[in-house]
Amino acid sequence: MMKAQTIEEKQYLVRFNADTKSHLHVLDDNICLTKCPDKICTIFCPAAVYKWEEVRMHVGYEGCHECGSCRIGCPHENIRWEYPRGGHGIVFRLG
């Protein structure tokens, strides 16, 4: 009988073919700074792509799971999410 996998173990099975151009864009860092004290995107993103760095949001798009959470999760609609260019992005492996 197989042991149930944790989220971390399942995420280990995911591979990425990162593009050199980000498909995720924070539209205005000032909105994050002045209107979003909780920096909620740093919480709801399952891949932990968003990191607050003192006065701006760092976006580690290379590890994005392409779930689209940031499209709907930002209460200020301050994140633009696009699909990565063809041939780039997440690559799932079965395990």
Side-chain angles (χ1 to χ4, degrees):
M1 187 167 158
M2 284 186 66
K3 176 186 148 207
Q5 290 181 314
T6 65
I7 293 294
E8 290 79 13
E9 289 169 331
K10 289 180 182 181
Q11 286 181 334
Y12 176 75
L13 299 174
V14 176
R15 295 292 178 254
F16 304 93
N17 182 16
D19 197 348
T20 56
K21 179 183 173 195
S22 179
H23 64 286
L24 304 171
H25 306 277
V26 173
L27 302 176
D28 184 350
D29 286 318
N30 196 48
I31 289 176
C32 300
L33 180 64
T34 61
K35 295 184 179 180
C36 194
D38 297 327
K39 313 297 184 266
I40 195 78
C41 61
T42 64
I43 299 168
F44 66 64
C45 177
V49 166
Y50 299 94
K51 303 279 186 218
W52 182 250
E53 295 181 342
E54 298 190 30
V55 295
R56 72 174 198 88
M57 189 63 69
H58 172 76
V59 182
Y61 71 93
E62 302 89 347
C64 176
H65 290 187
E66 298 173 36
C67 67
S69 295
C70 54
R71 266 192 303 197
I72 59 173
C74 178
H76 304 286
E77 298 181 356
N78 194 33
I79 298 172
R80 186 176 79 230
W81 184 97
E82 303 168 321
Y83 284 105
R85 293 187 307 165
H88 295 92
I90 195 165
V91 179
F92 292 101
R93 290 181 18 196
L94 299 175

